[in-house]
Amino acid sequence: MSRTRARVSAPDQACVAAVDLARAAAEELARPGEPGEHLGYEGEGDRIVTHYFACLDRAYRGWRWAVTVTRASRAKKVTVSEAVLLPGSGALLAPEWLPWSERLRPGDLGVGDLLPTAEDDDRLAPGFTETDDDTDRQMVFEYGLGRARVLSAIGRDRAARRWHAGEHGPHTPIAHAAPAQCSTCGFYWLLAGELRLSFGVCANEYAPDDGKVVAADHGCGAHSEAAVLPAPVEQAIPILDDLGYDLMEEETGSVDASASEELGHS
């Protein structure tokens, strides 16, 4: 049994010599002077050769111009088949393309925008799958009558981790400086379901988190039981007038000191 060897034909010499033709084709696509030195050639098949030229455009460093030339069978004239700009080693490339649904970030959705969810979104589950004690009464409404899908366990856990690690969680400067946690605040409104164990809604209009979901161990200075300390009373400094003085008239006594009446003293 003999192995079949693929015969590799030598590059066509007429196409190899068509360097000037290939350079002219690259200059038609690029700005003048951008195609640089000839980097070599590569045989693509019978009478097909690709010439490579350095790209001198500063915006495309590491790229190279690739111009493919060819000629017909028994023809002497070489023609240009294709000219493109290809990345080389170390070329700056665009990031891998992602669908728009994966490029969205929180806050990107604007007025009038629609964000449809996929049928297999793991954050959602059919409405009839809720079986825990807290939602048994809600099942009666949702089974065929209410929401087609509800929050799944995966979606609930993701939301809990995101909320707890966010700016309304316990790891923020305002929470560290708070007099107590939100769980002990009278303005803390518990959520329903399993999330009520860890989260609620702030209902204090003077709090920075009013109307937002906050963690039970979050906190702020608007706590309902925050103690108000009375302002200390400052002692008034006595005012002493060291420059002025008052004239005091000598009062006349009831006894005449000049009289010589004996008062019975020996």
Side-chain angles (χ1 to χ4, degrees):
M1 181 176 181
S2 61
R3 294 182 179 180
T4 302
R5 296 183 178 181
R7 185 178 62 87
V8 179
S9 59
D12 183 78
Q13 294 302 313
C15 293
V16 170
V19 177
D20 295 338
L21 176 64
R23 180 183 294 276
E27 291 179 348
E28 290 183 3
L29 298 178
R31 288 178 293 186
E34 285 186 357
E37 62 177 331
H38 184 241
L39 301 178
Y41 64 89
E42 181 179 0
E44 303 287 352
D46 293 339
R47 298 179 301 279
I48 302 175
V49 173
T50 299
H51 292 273
Y52 296 99
F53 300 90
C55 180
L56 303 182
D57 191 341
R58 291 180 295 177
Y60 289 90
R61 292 181 179 178
W63 291 64
R64 56 183 181 174
W65 288 100
V67 181
T68 302
V69 296
T70 185
R71 68 182 180 91
S73 177
R74 299 182 181 180
K76 297 182 179 180
K77 184 178 181 180
V78 178
T79 58
V80 175
S81 174
E82 185 180 19
V84 294
L85 186 62
L86 298 178
S89 59
L92 180 62
L93 302 176
E96 183 180 357
W97 183 86
L98 293 175
W100 66 270
S101 57
E102 299 181 16
R103 297 196 303 267
L104 285 177
R105 294 294 180 268
D108 290 347
L109 198 65
V111 178
D113 295 337
L114 296 178
L115 181 59
T117 55
E119 292 292 336
D120 57 348
D121 195 327
D122 56 1
R123 298 172 301 171
L124 299 173
F128 58 82
T129 59
E130 290 189 327
T131 57
D132 55 314
D133 296 337
D134 293 337
T135 56
D136 284 343
R137 290 176 296 180
Q138 191 176 6
M139 282 180 55
V140 178
F141 171 76
E142 292 185 351
Y143 184 73
L145 299 176
R147 295 177 292 171
R149 290 187 292 178
V150 295
L151 195 64
S152 66
I154 295 177
R156 183 179 63 246
D157 293 341
R158 288 182 182 177
R161 289 195 299 267
R162 186 173 62 252
W163 293 347
H164 197 265
E167 58 181 1
H168 307 300
H171 309 298
T172 57
I174 192 172
H176 292 166
Q181 295 182 351
C182 290
S183 59
T184 60
C185 180
F187 297 105
Y188 181 71
W189 190 270
L190 295 175
L191 294 181
E194 295 185 7
L195 291 177
R196 67 181 288 119
L197 302 176
S198 303
F199 298 97
V201 178
C202 178
N204 188 347
E205 60 181 319
Y206 300 107
D209 301 318
D210 180 38
K212 301 176 181 178
V213 176
V214 293
D217 47 358
H218 184 60
C220 71
H223 194 281
S224 62
E225 311 306 323
V228 179
L229 300 177
V233 179
E234 297 183 359
Q235 297 292 338
I237 301 175
I239 301 176
L240 301 178
D241 188 0
D242 298 335
L243 300 178
Y245 60 89
D246 297 331
L247 295 177
M248 310 242 349
E249 296 182 359
E250 184 178 358
E251 298 181 358
T252 303
S254 60
V255 179
D256 188 0
S258 61
S260 57
E261 181 181 359
E262 295 182 3
L263 300 177
H265 298 285
S266 57

